[in-house]
Amino acid sequence: MGLPVYRVTKYDPAHRNEHGHYDGPEDVYCDHGPVEAAYLAAVAAFAEEAGITHLTIREPGVSGFVHFGVEPPIDGHGLAGLFPPDLTGYHDGAQVPMAVALELVRAMLRDNGAWCRLEVEDRFFVHVGYDQCVYVGSALPCPHAVVLTHRRGLFAEPISQSPYDPQLDEDDPARRRPADAAFWAELNALIIRRGAVVLEEGYLFNASRWHRILIDEVAAIRDRLAPRARLLVWPDLSTEVDAALAHLPDEGLSEIVWQNPQGHITSLTVDETHYPALPAMLGRARAVMILSCCEDERNPLMAAVMPDPDGVLRARWTP
């Protein structure tokens, strides 16, 4: 049984039809002004009445190659000033004070490019929708917050479930392997056989760091991995750059993982319109790897998710 949920919105429920669908005037843009302030005041009021002072970041992400927001993404994804430029501290399981949580809600209302769920397990959550709807769940009743929300010109409607409830995600925990001692032993054996592999560290949705690993580098890289990161192990990069580029598909999205002369590995997503520029762009690349952007065609050698320090796997990465 989930928490009681309120849909906090600027849309008058009188304009919902018999099926609950809104058919009145709709403005999905944030006003960056009094309406936005009312949303933030409402979330703060619900949290205060529920006794919540900190929220945990879950499933954080930033805009990738494709951005689905109604407003263009901005540099820093709306996280500038909240986290360092490398986004240290913006990860699944990170706990933030309400002041930071409210700024995250602001960034999501503005479609700045960052999105996450905010929650206290089994007690409270905040989900921000693309349509200027905010969903608040609380184990404790919050009648005063409901009144304040209405006084600020918004509506707080009780509903059965948030459309962003993680239970609605297609997630099979049995398919998520923890990066435990057995995983690292298997990875060591794999590197000994192959000489080197590439580790993709998915520290956010739509954001990865890449590591080329030799056998004597495993421990050092393991210590630097983000909490709850998703780990995908790929074959080593190819030094035959021209040959790899020649095998790009005729159309569709591909991800090119490449190592620059200084040894840093990064990736870029391309389609056939980018192909003419690739020889110049990758002219000094040491080595590359081409990965399909189609999930059915991405087959890593190994995959796992970083557990918490107590050994429990709490990340909800979809398979």
Side-chain angles (χ1 to χ4, degrees):
M1 179 71 67
L3 301 179
V5 181
Y6 284 93
R7 176 172 52 208
V8 177
T9 175
K10 59 187 176 183
Y11 307 122
D12 189 337
H15 292 290
R16 294 192 180 276
N17 61 29
E18 65 273 17
H19 304 293
H21 301 304
Y22 182 79
D23 54 15
E26 188 172 16
D27 179 7
V28 296
Y29 287 87
C30 180
D31 73 336
H32 297 220
V35 177
E36 175 187 271
Y39 275 110
L40 299 182
V43 172
F46 274 98
E48 181 178 4
E49 194 164 359
I52 302 300
T53 60
H54 290 72
L55 286 169
T56 299
I57 294 172
R58 300 304 311 268
E59 294 80 49
V62 293
S63 294
F65 182 75
V66 179
H67 175 66
F68 295 102
V70 296
E71 298 187 37
I74 65 171
D75 290 342
H77 313 287
L79 302 175
L82 301 178
F83 303 96
D86 64 357
L87 299 186
T88 298
Y90 181 62
H91 62 77
D92 192 284
Q95 192 177 87
V96 296
M98 275 306 303
V100 174
L102 291 174
E103 289 305 313
L104 287 170
V105 171
R106 187 196 306 275
M108 289 186 275
L109 286 169
R110 294 183 178 188
D111 260 326
N112 283 162
W115 191 87
C116 65
R117 296 181 176 101
L118 294 164
E119 66 179 40
V120 175
E121 188 173 6
D122 298 327
R123 290 181 56 200
F124 191 84
F125 69 74
V126 179
H127 303 155
V128 181
Y130 70 93
D131 52 359
Q132 297 287 290
C133 290
V134 176
Y135 302 88
V136 181
S138 174
L140 294 178
C142 299
H144 298 297
V146 172
V147 171
L148 182 142
T149 299
H150 292 165
R151 285 177 178 170
R152 296 296 295 258
L154 302 180
F155 303 92
E157 310 163 68
I159 59 174
S160 60
Q161 185 180 34
S162 165
Y164 300 94
D165 190 320
Q167 294 183 7
L168 300 176
D169 291 347
E170 295 181 5
D171 182 22
D172 179 2
R175 293 177 60 187
R176 287 186 283 118
R177 175 184 182 181
D180 54 13
F183 168 83
W184 293 106
E186 185 178 330
L187 179 62
N188 282 339
L190 182 67
I191 296 173
I192 290 172
R193 291 198 305 272
R194 290 177 170 263
V197 296
V198 173
L199 178 69
E200 179 182 358
E201 174 196 1
Y203 64 103
L204 300 174
F205 284 83
N206 293 329
S208 295
R209 286 186 283 260
W210 300 84
H211 313 274
R212 183 174 184 267
I213 310 180
L214 303 175
I215 190 61
D216 59 349
E217 299 170 335
V218 175
I221 290 174
R222 178 180 177 178
D223 289 342
R224 301 201 305 267
L225 297 174
R228 300 187 180 181
R230 184 182 189 185
L231 309 180
L232 302 177
V233 180
W234 302 98
D236 195 11
L237 303 171
S238 170
T239 57
E240 300 295 328
V241 177
D242 292 338
L245 295 180
H247 286 88
L248 282 165
D250 292 336
E251 60 183 19
L253 293 176
S254 297
E255 186 172 18
I256 300 179
V257 183
W258 61 287
Q259 186 179 41
N260 69 16
Q262 291 73 42
H264 179 70
I265 301 176
T266 188
S267 70
L268 64 157
T269 304
V270 301
D271 61 21
E272 61 276 11
T273 64
H274 302 102
Y275 291 176
L278 291 180
M281 185 183 304
L282 302 177
R284 300 182 63 212
R286 285 186 185 178
V288 302
M289 173 172 56
I290 309 296
L291 297 175
S292 172
C293 286
C294 177
E295 281 297 320
D296 292 341
E297 298 175 6
R298 291 176 76 94
N299 299 304
L301 302 173
M302 298 173 62
V305 178
M306 290 291 287
D308 286 352
D310 60 5
V312 177
L313 197 161
R314 294 186 178 89
R316 296 187 294 234
W317 289 94
T318 52

